[in-house]
Amino acid sequence: MAEAPTPLVDYHCHLDLYPDYRRVFRECAQENIQTLAMTTTPRAWPHNRELAGDCPALRVALGLHPQLVAERGVEMALFERYLPETRFVGEVGLDASPRFYGSFEEQVQVFSRVLRLCQEAGGRVISVHSVRAAARVLRMAGEHLDPRRSTIVLHWFTGKLSEAERALELGCYFSVNPRMLSTKPGRELVVRLPLGSMLTETDGPFVEVAGRPAHPRDVAGTLQAIAALRGVNGAEVRAAMLNNMLSLEARHHFGP
Ligand code: MN
């Protein structure tokens, strides 16, 4: 009998935002795609938890997206209530792009509370958005989070290489999606980062592949592209992504 292929890893996607989300949850479970499903508001947590069931391939993160902080900041009380139920947090972070800059100070308040709660709880894996705010995100991480207690995964990182160096010192991982590979700085980052600090993601359904929303299985193309950029073979990168995820998740003790 043929050996099962190394499972794919999509460490940042929004399974609940696909029009046919029940099917996408089911396909990830059936295809054993190791998925970290974001939520964008704490209110979405219970339903996502239920959709994931007890399938070991499906992880659900508790989040409050920085682009929604203006309307949903009040849900921080719910975030705090649900945090003991999960070791995965996301999507959280900061977005200083013009459209969301109006809520930036409130985003900082929310994100610092998220970091402090994760520090207190320990054992959390945190998927972080840092659009035009990499330096601030890293400064806050350095202030509030002991990397021996919880780990940040920088999703779709677009900061400078010097900021990426700082992130590595803080023990961060980087999740890479196809859109990053379509930009020169994104490709440069993917070549410069240690392979051991990288994970694959789709950020589906927001990111498109071939003119349709990316499906978690599309990370197969991303890891081939990473392999080509780094001059190694796809199987090596595929195995590395799974190993990176497993060692990240084994880093911290979670639970009482
Ligand atoms: Mn996202």
Side-chain angles (χ1 to χ4, degrees):
M1 221 172 89
E3 231 181 285
T6 304
L8 295 169
V9 175
D10 183 354
Y11 223 60
H12 182 114
C13 54
H14 297 266
L15 295 186
D16 64 344
L17 299 182
Y18 288 84
D20 50 354
Y21 62 90
R22 286 179 192 279
R23 191 177 64 137
V24 185
F25 268 94
R26 199 168 56 240
E27 287 168 346
C28 290
Q30 281 165 355
E31 295 168 37
N32 195 28
I33 303 170
Q34 302 297 307
T35 313
L36 179 55
M38 298 293 116
T39 54
T40 53
T41 77
R43 205 174 282 281
W45 164 257
H47 188 218
N48 272 267
R49 193 65 218 85
E50 198 183 293
L51 287 162
D54 51 15
C55 174
L58 305 178
R59 298 154 184 77
V60 180
L62 170 66
L64 179 45
H65 197 294
Q67 296 176 349
L68 296 178
V69 158
E71 308 101 80
R72 304 298 196 104
V74 294
E75 290 186 35
M76 266 313 286
L78 272 183
F79 180 96
E80 198 165 343
R81 183 165 119 202
Y82 294 136
L83 184 62
E85 298 176 20
T86 180
R87 66 180 306 193
F88 299 102
V89 171
E91 180 162 357
V92 294
L94 299 177
D95 191 317
S97 58
R99 198 168 147 212
F100 302 103
Y101 196 72
S103 66
F104 195 72
E105 278 318 306
E106 199 184 347
Q107 293 177 39
V108 168
Q109 294 308 315
V110 165
F111 186 50
S112 68
R113 190 157 163 214
V114 165
L115 292 176
R116 281 181 279 124
L117 288 167
C118 290
Q119 170 63 16
E120 217 177 295
R124 270 31 182 208
V125 174
I126 313 165
S127 184
V128 174
H129 175 114
S130 57
V131 171
R132 296 201 187 188
R136 187 69 179 266
V137 159
L138 296 172
R139 195 165 81 224
M140 290 173 68
E143 277 167 17
H144 298 301
L145 209 66
D146 177 348
R148 290 167 302 184
R149 281 178 62 76
S150 287
T151 297
I152 285 180
V153 180
L154 292 161
H155 135 73
W156 197 337
F157 186 77
T158 52
K160 300 177 196 139
L161 285 175
S162 59
E163 290 161 344
E165 299 276 350
R166 172 69 187 134
L168 289 170
E169 286 166 19
L170 291 168
C172 299
Y173 284 70
F174 294 79
S175 54
V176 173
N177 68 48
R179 281 278 290 283
M180 290 170 74
L181 299 174
S182 70
T183 70
K184 194 160 175 272
R187 288 191 295 271
E188 196 175 354
L189 183 72
V190 161
V191 171
R192 301 282 279 285
L193 286 174
L195 188 59
S197 72
M198 287 169 42
L199 294 159
T200 38
E201 64 159 65
T202 57
D203 203 14
F206 296 116
V207 164
E208 295 201 335
V209 167
R212 43 134 186 109
H215 185 284
R217 70 173 75 90
D218 289 319
V219 295
T222 305
L223 59 87
Q224 288 299 341
I226 294 169
L229 285 166
R230 296 178 67 102
V232 296
N233 73 52
E236 185 183 326
V237 175
R238 185 166 176 146
M241 297 303 109
L242 183 70
N243 284 333
N244 292 348
M245 182 195 79
L246 295 173
S247 58
L248 159 61
E249 293 181 358
R251 253 189 189 184
H252 313 291
H253 176 72
F254 172 71

